[in-house]
Amino acid sequence: MQPSSRPADTTSSESEATASVEAPRGLSSEQAAALQAHWGRNEIAAVTRAGWLDTLREVLREPMFLLLLGASAIYMGLGDRLEALTLLAFVMLVVALTAFQSHRTRQVLDALRALSAPRAQVLRDGALQAISATELVPGDVVLVGEGARVPADGLLFEAHDLSVDESLLSGESVPIAKSCDAALPEPALAAARQLFFGSMVVQGQGRMIVSAIGTATALGRIGKSLSGIAQAHSPLQLQARAFVNRFALVALCLCALLAVAYRWRTGEWVPGLLAGITLAMGILPEEIPVIMTVFMALGARRIAAEGVLTRRLNAIETLGEVSVLCVDKTGTLTQNRMAVRVLFAQDQEQVVDDLLPEIGEVYHELLEYLVLASEIEPFDPMERAFQRIGQRYLSGTEHLHGKWALVQEYGLSPALPAMSHGWHAPELGRYPVACKGAPEAICDLCHLTEAQTAALLERSAQMASRGLRVLGVARALHPGNEWPAKQHDFEFSFVGLVGLLDPVRPEAAEAIAACHAAGIRVVMITGDYPSTAQAIAAEVGLDAKRVVSGAALAEMDDAQLGRIIDQVEVFARIQPMQKLRLVEAFRRRGEVVAMTGDGVNDAPALKAAHIGIAMGQRGAEVAREAAALVLLRDEFTPIVSAIRLGRRIHANLMRAIGYTVAVHIPMIGATVLPVLAGWPPLLAPVHVVLLQLIIDPVCSIVFENEPERADAMRQAPRRQGARLLSNRALAQGVLAGALATLIVLGLYAGLLSQGIAPALARTWAFVALVGGNVALIFWARGTSPARHPAGARGFNFALWGVTSAVALTMLVLLLSPTVAGLFKLVAALAP
């Protein structure tokens, strides 16, 4: 039987574990559903979802739409009603396509926002479950722990060394102790038991009954709200908008000049104005901002399918630039399935495995105090391992104490990595105290001699060299007076050492090798012992020849750290704030840093890294809020998959933008040069609209679905801060477009010179222009930032679907006089 958490009638302090009410059993699923139907969702202000009308309104404000409306009005003024109505019909088609695309993108973002919603540990149907915090209802029993935000207003009925930060409500960031101590006067007890929605738990844990949700909470009444996925414009999006704005300015100038040139050559203004509008439509690369939004949103969905949630879309841009990946050991490179494998007590060592039926009496006291120093209802894998081994080997003995009550707790701290539990034992005249922690901390608490400490630390180092995580265990007796303020005030006696094994993930070595091939350094930063870290590092393929400890790091200045940081891949016994220093050191070296973290104290390092990656299953909520990416599975492989997809997304984005630049060159040339040469106009606004119906799906569907190149993870990371389109890429796009322009206009000029009717010449030139657009798709697919050519994986069904649809459309146009007439062309192949 496990120790009880019910308090005894004994002297208490502010860090006691106390309960003032009977522990509730929680709601059933049916009760929760009925209450949610009555109270609604636990949201302060539901995120406004943009509907179809909002999407349509945004589309109608686009310059392209306004130009099309202007052209339709001119045709209507000229009395060409059929042309005007045809143009308007195609306008509606383009608007519908764009609106559908935008709406689809928003749906993806809404789904990601739902995935990123805070989770809550709630007691439902008699079992602890993790649910979305929006599903909480009054009466729910919720567990709150260190690093989590309080998901609703509630009243504590159990508290263990609990402190919260209520600055979101009060503006004061000083932690406030919470308690259920019945000895407090009534007003003070009511305040001590109250937890508010949005407060951050900075220490300890507790259980509460939800009293209010949503707008009925104190935070809801104030009218504030918590943030979800950040949707601020990314650097690439800002570059894209500036790129389009520059083109728009050029378009306005060229349109005015073309209208004047047309008037000068023909003496007519209206056709010149139409030619100017056609030119403006041909110049404006208005697809680029849409491409950016679509690629980032759909890219986030692809990355989520690999087990990584994107909280900030601009992180997708940075994934391809990552040059250093800092990872923790536990749960990332290892399986986070702790099991006690070695016991050391009274100078004897026992190896434990699944086949060992029993252990010697010499180890019973070690396991007894190990269990007493552990959490009563553990969630941490290590704490669960302690409870499991205690139940396995002490069940039926006098060393498990079901009637003892936990009355005092001392938590871990950076200064003293050890924790203690004080117990009320009815059969004893004093209070047993059990302590576990880092071996050096236990040696310090037990006041061992220098020789004894050296011997024990040597033993723990030997255990750690086998890949074990080592903890020390100590015991003490408290006389029952007022509890001391710190653990150093107890007279502890050393009990023994415990070694835990956390198996390495079988796929970790392969994933690290993939990172090395991609030019990415993987650096292990762990709080574990140097020997443990060295053993694990060697097993997964990291350079374990040199390990820098937290103590050695503390003695280095920034200059010394800068000199060694390129030579070390393993940092051990590192404190959370030292992670921040390491990230900053890598950044000073010009590296693009991705950093994993799970604890409250990891938040500064996660925020300082270019890409913070939080653990979704075991990570504290404050870490998830600081991170740009959240692992839905706490493994290393999804990080590598996200980097691979980030490279693919960026490469395809560059292809799409290169295609957009190239495909507008023939449209510009086919509009301007016939006017300057005195030929009949080749393009009208309706032709540009038809071309847009090809360009838009190509950019947003074909290139987005393009598989990555086979060598995508064998190339060095992209240079940090690279421009949206390099001079070389821009020149290549212009040259490819210019070649297509020469072919189209050469065909048009040749047909006219042979006395072919302008309508027929226009038809074949337009078909050639569409064919040139399709050819530019294949040209853009062949361009890549890769230094060495290599084939792509997979098959792009979207590419062949779009090209088949284009070919079928052109065939219909050439065969049907009715369809050809809508575009002022002729059915050249009609029987």
Side-chain angles (χ1 to χ4, degrees):
M1 182 183 298
Q2 289 185 1
S4 168
S5 61
R6 190 176 304 285
D9 294 329
T10 183
T11 306
S12 65
S13 76
E14 63 181 9
S15 61
E16 280 183 277
T18 59
S20 59
V21 294
E22 183 73 19
R25 296 182 179 180
L27 302 174
S28 67
S29 297
E30 292 77 12
Q31 290 172 320
L35 286 168
Q36 189 168 73
H38 175 73
W39 292 103
R41 294 173 67 81
N42 180 32
E43 295 175 323
I44 290 178
V47 178
T48 303
R49 304 286 194 263
W52 281 102
L53 287 178
D54 298 304
T55 304
L56 193 59
R57 197 176 296 117
E58 283 189 15
V59 173
L60 297 183
R61 286 200 294 260
E62 289 295 324
M64 178 68 74
F65 178 79
L66 298 177
L67 288 170
L68 289 170
L69 277 186
S72 300
I74 292 173
Y75 279 123
M76 192 67 75
L78 291 173
D80 194 342
R81 183 174 299 177
L82 179 62
E83 183 77 13
L85 292 177
T86 301
L87 191 56
L88 281 175
F90 277 100
V91 166
M92 292 302 108
L93 189 57
V94 171
V95 167
L97 181 66
T98 308
F100 172 77
Q101 191 169 261
S102 300
H103 194 72
R104 178 188 176 206
T105 302
R106 283 199 170 120
Q107 283 182 320
V108 172
L109 291 175
D110 287 345
L112 291 171
R113 188 179 292 108
L115 278 175
S116 71
R119 310 288 289 175
Q121 297 281 344
V122 60
L123 192 63
R124 290 267 179 93
D125 299 318
L128 198 63
Q129 304 176 20
I131 66 170
S132 171
T134 60
E135 299 175 13
L136 291 177
V137 295
D140 265 326
V141 174
V142 176
L143 173 72
V144 291
E146 183 174 317
R149 283 205 183 275
V150 178
D153 283 3
L155 290 174
L156 285 168
F157 62 86
E158 181 181 320
H160 300 276
D161 202 20
L162 184 65
S163 295
V164 299
D165 179 350
E166 296 180 350
S167 58
L168 196 62
L169 283 164
S170 66
E172 299 292 334
S173 58
V174 179
I176 299 172
K178 296 292 180 178
S179 172
C180 300
D181 186 1
L184 291 172
E186 184 55 38
L189 177 60
R193 290 184 60 204
Q194 180 69 58
L195 291 181
F196 295 105
F197 185 16
S199 301
M200 180 66 71
V201 180
V202 295
Q203 181 179 337
Q205 64 180 16
R207 296 181 185 234
M208 73 172 195
I209 305 174
V210 174
S211 58
I213 63 171
T215 54
T217 62
L219 187 61
R221 290 193 294 270
I222 294 174
K224 294 181 179 179
S225 62
L226 301 176
S227 59
I229 296 177
Q231 297 187 60
H233 290 301
S234 69
L236 273 184
Q237 286 174 317
L238 294 174
Q239 284 188 51
R241 180 56 65 184
F243 187 72
V244 172
N245 289 341
R246 286 196 296 270
F247 263 83
L249 186 60
V250 172
L252 285 174
C253 297
L254 288 179
C255 291
L257 290 174
L258 185 63
V260 171
Y262 199 94
R263 171 70 174 81
W264 174 67
R265 293 192 65 89
T266 66
E268 298 182 70
W269 278 109
V270 174
L273 190 56
L274 284 172
I277 290 175
T278 305
L279 176 62
M281 293 167 59
I283 291 179
L284 275 177
E286 43 83 32
E287 304 89 358
I288 291 180
V290 177
I291 292 170
M292 297 293 300
T293 305
V294 169
F295 269 63
M296 295 304 159
L298 297 185
R301 186 172 67 177
R302 289 185 186 278
I303 290 173
E306 296 289 338
V308 183
L309 174 65
T310 306
R311 285 182 52 83
R312 296 179 178 86
L313 291 181
N314 56 7
I316 297 174
E317 301 172 15
T318 314
L319 280 169
E321 300 175 354
V322 170
S323 57
V324 172
L325 177 55
C326 300
V327 297
D328 192 9
K329 172 183 72 67
T330 304
T332 308
L333 299 177
T334 62
Q335 298 179 29
N336 203 24
R337 294 169 56 188
M338 294 280 192
V340 175
R341 289 298 181 227
V342 176
L343 300 173
F344 176 78
Q346 299 180 28
D347 291 327
Q348 298 183 46
E349 182 177 291
Q350 173 68 60
V351 176
V352 180
D353 59 32
D354 295 337
L355 301 177
L356 185 68
E358 60 182 28
I359 58 171
E361 183 71 28
V362 69
Y363 303 106
H364 283 191
E365 184 184 49
L366 173 59
L367 290 185
E368 174 186 9
Y369 278 90
L370 178 65
V371 171
L372 290 174
S374 302
E375 296 294 338
I376 297 169
E377 297 182 4
F379 299 98
D380 183 81
M382 183 172 65
E383 298 285 320
R384 288 178 177 174
F386 296 150
Q387 293 290 356
R388 278 198 307 271
I389 194 170
Q391 291 293 328
R392 180 178 175 186
Y393 293 117
L394 299 183
S395 182
T397 72
E398 61 182 3
H399 297 285
L400 284 181
H401 306 286
K403 295 183 179 179
W404 289 12
L406 178 62
V407 293
Q408 181 72 11
E409 291 185 88
Y410 297 89
L412 292 162
S413 69
L416 184 65
M419 60 180 293
S420 297
H421 283 171
W423 296 88
H424 175 249
E427 69 272 23
L428 300 179
R430 291 186 289 177
Y431 295 85
V433 180
C435 178
K436 72 174 189 296
E440 63 270 26
I442 296 299
C443 291
D444 184 28
L445 288 171
C446 294
H447 304 292
L448 300 181
T449 65
E450 190 172 327
Q452 290 173 322
T453 298
L456 280 174
L457 293 182
E458 174 63 25
R459 168 66 65 169
S460 68
Q462 291 175 8
M463 293 169 65
S465 67
R466 286 136 66 183
L468 298 171
R469 183 171 187 177
V470 185
L471 293 179
V473 179
R475 63 180 177 84
L477 285 173
H478 180 58
N481 302 324
E482 185 175 344
W483 288 92
K486 54 186 180 179
Q487 299 177 75
H488 274 290
D489 294 331
F490 293 108
E491 294 184 6
F492 280 111
S493 299
F494 180 77
V495 178
L497 298 173
V498 178
L500 298 104
L501 182 64
D502 186 8
V504 168
R505 294 188 182 276
E507 69 278 5
E510 183 181 351
I512 287 176
C515 286
H516 289 161
I520 301 170
R521 284 185 64 202
V522 180
V523 178
M524 179 196 293
I525 303 177
T526 178
D528 225 328
Y529 268 91
S531 349
T532 306
Q534 198 166 30
I536 299 297
E539 189 172 350
V540 298
L542 294 178
D543 183 359
K545 294 176 184 175
R546 183 175 182 183
V547 179
V548 173
S549 68
L553 181 62
E555 294 177 359
M556 296 181 187
D557 58 26
D558 288 345
Q560 291 173 311
L561 177 58
R563 285 194 293 271
I564 64 99
I565 201 164
D566 286 341
Q567 307 161 25
V568 180
E569 290 189 359
V570 183
F571 293 87
R573 229 56 184 142
I574 296 297
Q575 297 294 329
M577 291 311 295
Q578 289 180 315
K579 293 182 181 181
L580 174 61
R581 188 180 175 204
L582 288 172
V583 169
E584 291 174 338
F586 280 120
R587 292 193 63 151
R588 283 195 297 272
R589 299 282 297 178
E591 306 284 2
V592 177
V593 186
M595 167 87 188
T596 67
D598 60 0
V600 176
N601 294 326
D602 290 336
L606 291 174
K607 215 158 200 174
H610 293 90
I611 302 178
I613 306 171
M615 304 293 118
Q617 294 176 332
R618 60 187 170 89
E621 191 162 332
V622 65
R624 292 195 292 271
E625 289 180 355
L629 302 177
V630 177
L631 295 182
L632 301 178
R633 304 189 310 273
D634 293 352
E635 302 172 12
F636 184 74
T637 306
I639 302 175
V640 182
S641 298
I643 292 173
R644 174 178 56 79
L645 281 172
R647 292 186 172 195
R648 167 188 168 176
I649 291 164
H650 188 273
N652 287 345
L653 180 61
M654 294 302 102
R655 293 185 183 108
I657 293 175
Y659 167 77
T660 302
V661 171
V663 84
H664 280 80
I665 301 299
M667 295 166 64
I668 296 169
T671 304
V672 175
L673 293 180
V675 172
L676 298 179
W679 304 334
L682 173 54
L683 290 184
V686 70
H687 301 135
V688 176
V689 173
L690 183 58
L691 291 171
Q692 286 296 136
L693 290 174
I694 299 171
I695 296 170
D696 286 350
V698 166
C699 291
S700 59
I701 299 175
V702 172
F703 287 113
E704 201 281 325
N705 280 280
E706 185 70 12
E708 73 264 16
R709 301 182 72 90
D711 63 347
M713 289 297 282
R714 294 198 295 273
Q715 301 299 319
R718 193 174 72 252
R719 184 171 55 84
Q720 184 181 3
R723 286 193 304 164
L724 178 65
L725 209 60
S726 67
N727 290 336
R728 180 181 178 184
L730 184 61
Q732 287 176 339
V734 171
L735 286 174
L739 179 60
T741 304
L742 289 175
I743 293 172
V744 171
L745 290 178
L747 175 63
Y748 188 51
L751 292 173
L752 290 175
S753 67
Q754 295 297 319
I756 302 296
L760 183 58
R762 183 185 302 116
T763 300
W764 287 115
F766 181 74
V767 171
L769 180 57
V770 172
N773 281 359
V774 173
L776 287 172
I777 299 173
F778 290 91
W779 166 81
R781 288 180 75 234
T783 63
S784 171
R787 293 193 181 95
H788 305 289
R793 301 182 196 154
F795 182 81
N796 192 341
F797 290 97
L799 168 66
W800 297 107
V802 169
T803 52
S804 299
V806 170
L808 183 61
T809 302
M810 290 298 98
L811 188 61
V812 170
L813 188 145
L814 291 172
L815 290 173
S816 171
T818 304
V819 174
L822 294 175
F823 297 94
K824 291 189 175 179
L825 303 174
V826 296
L829 299 181

